[in-house]
Amino acid sequence: MFGFRIQDKTSSPSLAALGIVERSEARAYAALIATGWSEIGFGYHGTVHAHPDHPGVVVRFARKADGFGDYAALLRTGFAGSDGPHAPRIHDLHVSRCGALMTVGARLSDPPRDAWWLAYAHAVIADHPGVAMDEGVRDRFRVAWPAHEPRIDHASFDGIREAFRAAWPGYEAYVAALRTVSPQGLDPNIGNVLVGIDGSPVVNDPLCDDGYGLWRSPLARGLARYAEVSRRLAGEVLGRLGRAPVPV
């Protein structure tokens, strides 16, 4: 999918500036299509849209606020490398009352499947020091890049690793910094590395699908956690009552 890179808010194209008014879960997708924002990509929860009158940006729409919302929130708070060439640039973010997420960002492109550095860029995201890689992830990696094992220190990365580090010395540091601030492990999905306008690899949408609500204020997150715990406790109580023996 296409992604986003942070930009100065004073010059960023917002949803309002792009004329996007409808942002609800039920009607936003149809409204985007009707106003010329054609779908150019999709994921588990979201679709990405481009418009011929706005070639430099894309709009992402998700019916539920997913991990991309958390990623956008982390980028906006700032951490090491979040303003650099390997982070997507977010222009605007909106979460509706029903939880739909819309973002505006600079357009990125898919890297060539035979890019010499692509396997290593994904291996950096997939690597978790001291933790064995999930076999499903390893299998997907083998299918995409059969010549490489998905471990950074494997001999098959000799040469590629060194050349990559020379070309983009800040990439691994950015991924490491993102891993330290992320509320969950990074997702090594094959589509999570895209290319910026300068040709650099950009880590796009690396958090898992279930959002943690980092775009909300600390108070709103606390209230949401309280409501979730209350619902869970109420369900347990009702479950126990339902299992209670019937007096005779």
Side-chain angles (χ1 to χ4, degrees), residues 13-234:
S14 64
L15 288 163
L18 295 172
I20 299 173
V21 178
E22 182 57 67
R23 305 171 190 183
S24 68
E25 184 274 337
R27 296 185 295 271
Y29 178 85
L32 285 169
I33 297 298
T35 53
W37 288 91
S38 59
E39 181 181 323
I40 60 171
F42 65 92
Y44 288 115
H45 299 301
T47 53
V48 180
H49 302 260
H51 196 288
D53 293 341
H54 308 284
V57 300
V58 289
V59 172
R60 182 181 185 274
F61 167 68
R63 297 185 184 279
K64 58 174 286 189
D66 56 8
F68 190 83
D70 287 329
Y71 189 35
L74 289 176
L75 290 168
R76 284 193 152 188
T77 60
F79 57 90
S82 61
D83 58 348
H86 306 299
R89 191 175 298 280
I90 306 297
H91 298 320
D92 195 13
L93 179 151
H94 176 82
V95 180
S96 74
R97 282 181 289 182
C98 293
L101 171 70
M102 295 189 77
T103 49
V104 180
R107 184 166 179 170
L108 304 174
S109 59
D110 290 316
R113 296 299 298 174
D114 59 350
W116 63 270
W117 50 264
L118 189 56
Y120 184 72
H122 278 282
V124 173
I125 297 175
D127 179 63
H128 297 274
V131 179
M133 184 181 294
D134 178 84
E135 270 307 308
V137 173
R138 189 179 294 276
D139 289 342
R140 292 200 305 271
F141 197 104
R142 287 191 183 113
V143 170
W145 300 291
H148 300 289
E149 275 290 315
R151 289 188 290 112
I152 291 177
D153 293 328
H154 191 275
S156 65
F157 284 121
D158 286 351
I160 294 178
R161 177 177 55 241
E162 287 72 19
F164 183 93
R165 289 172 173 172
W168 297 288
Y171 179 87
E172 291 181 72
Y174 171 73
V175 174
L178 173 60
R179 187 171 283 121
T180 63
V181 299
S182 171
Q184 56 196 332
L186 303 186
D187 177 14
N189 187 288
I190 297 301
N192 284 350
V193 177
L194 300 179
V195 178
I197 192 171
D198 59 355
S200 61
V202 177
V203 180
N204 178 66
D205 199 9
L207 304 189
C208 296
D209 297 319
D210 295 330
Y212 278 68
L214 300 183
W215 56 87
R216 301 188 182 111
S217 68
L219 175 61
R221 289 201 301 274
L223 291 174
R225 284 195 294 269
Y226 175 79
E228 179 60 30
V229 170
S230 298
R231 284 194 296 269
R232 186 170 64 251
L233 292 176

